[in-house]
Amino acid sequence: MGRYARVVVKLSGEAFAGAAGAGTDPACLAHLADEVASVHDRGVQTTVVVGGGNLFRGRLAGSWGIDRAEADDIGMLGTVMNALMLRGALTARGEPDVRVMTAVPMQSFAEPFIRLRADRHLRRGRIVLLAGGTGQPYVTADYAAVQRSLELSVDALLVAKRGVDGVYDSDPKTHPDAKRYARLTYREALERRVKVMDTAAFVLAEEQGLVMHVFDAARPGAMAAICEGRDIGTVVTAD
Ligand code: UDP
């Protein structure tokens, strides 16, 4: 057994999209399924909170000329599509029991999120995929990832980013000399205004002392290595 027995993995929608940044790339989907399966196959109780930014984001509401709350509902549906694709890919890999639970009821193809039921699935060795975010508009899947991590009393939240392998002191895409932090406190990140995830989610994680690992979704073996005790990417803690 490695360092963590129970984790939430947050997969951003972009991790499903590959270089295009939007839509779904089957090769990325297959890679994500391999990574999640390898964590679960090591005996780690594994929940995935699935984002949907590759399909739609509520903050596009203004430019699309639609109401924000309506746009957020569409965004939440995108997370459900990604979760069903991930279940399909995991099942194709031979993972026997993968449950999709949604924050918004969709009972023809997923279970409603009930904390104690999710907890029971995990204790019975099932992979749990959470979709629909919090079920509420004006927040993001990041917030859902932190909230569900706390509800399920996980050892750590693993935040898989696309195209960046941790938290930097400036944007590494525009600043070639940007420095990656190996460790960081939530307070330092907030004071230095480094953008890790949505601020409301970040503040909740700090308040509740959640341990967060930020790493590159594309790096093979990263999730499993973090669970086993290696600090890949950046570790964010309350102190
Ligand atoms: N969303 C929402 N409430 C939630 C989670 C998500 O309204 O609790 C909507 C929001 O519009 C968001 C979209 O779903 O833009 C897709 O989720 P998100 O952008 O957080 O996904 P990610 O950035 O992880 O790909």
Side-chain angles (χ1 to χ4, degrees):
M1 182 63 78
R3 127 174 89 172
Y4 296 143
R6 178 179 281 200
V7 297
V8 162
V9 177
K10 159 76 203 309
L11 292 181
S12 75
E14 283 184 341
F16 289 77
T24 309
D25 177 346
C28 289
L29 179 65
H31 165 73
L32 293 176
D34 285 343
E35 294 297 298
V36 170
S38 80
V39 170
H40 175 253
D41 293 349
R42 282 171 165 78
V44 179
Q45 295 183 3
T46 309
T47 301
V48 182
V49 170
V50 182
N54 56 319
L55 300 172
F56 195 72
R57 285 185 199 279
R59 63 175 141 79
L60 295 174
S63 59
W64 283 55
I66 48 180
D67 178 73
R68 173 66 193 257
E70 182 95 285
D72 280 332
D73 288 348
I74 300 165
M76 286 186 252
L77 287 173
T79 72
V80 179
M81 286 182 62
N82 285 336
L84 293 179
M85 284 192 245
L86 187 59
R87 173 165 64 184
L90 283 163
T91 305
R93 257 155 200 73
E95 290 294 338
D97 209 350
V98 185
R99 302 298 176 96
V100 176
M101 304 184 98
T102 56
V104 180
M106 293 192 183
Q107 294 189 20
S108 300
F109 44 73
E111 300 170 29
F113 175 76
I114 297 170
R115 184 177 64 86
L116 293 177
R117 186 181 288 179
D119 184 70
R120 193 180 60 188
H121 287 329
L122 293 170
R123 284 188 279 108
R124 293 191 171 177
R126 298 166 184 150
I127 298 177
V128 175
L129 309 182
L130 299 181
T134 61
Q136 301 294 326
Y138 297 100
V139 280
T140 68
D142 286 344
Y143 196 88
V146 171
Q147 185 179 333
R148 299 305 188 215
S149 294
L150 298 171
E151 287 183 87
L152 296 171
S153 303
V154 299
D155 299 313
L157 167 60
L158 278 50
V159 181
K161 296 279 186 190
R162 199 193 75 82
V164 55
D165 62 353
V167 182
Y168 283 77
D169 58 357
S170 54
D171 184 352
K173 288 173 192 147
T174 48
H175 296 79
D177 56 346
K179 198 171 77 40
R180 179 165 58 77
Y181 296 106
R183 298 190 75 85
L184 193 66
T185 64
Y186 289 104
R187 191 67 11 221
E188 286 165 344
L190 288 164
E191 279 166 13
R192 293 173 199 176
R193 295 177 187 278
V194 293
K195 186 80 188 143
V196 182
M197 57 163 43
D198 130 34
T199 309
F202 212 62
V203 169
L204 178 62
E206 180 188 31
E207 264 173 23
Q208 299 300 323
L210 184 65
V211 174
M212 189 183 288
H213 292 259
V214 182
F215 64 101
D216 184 359
R219 177 168 169 176
M223 282 177 208
I226 291 170
C227 290
E228 286 191 342
R230 281 179 61 201
D231 284 341
I232 288 172
T234 301
V235 191
V236 192
T237 56
D239 44 38

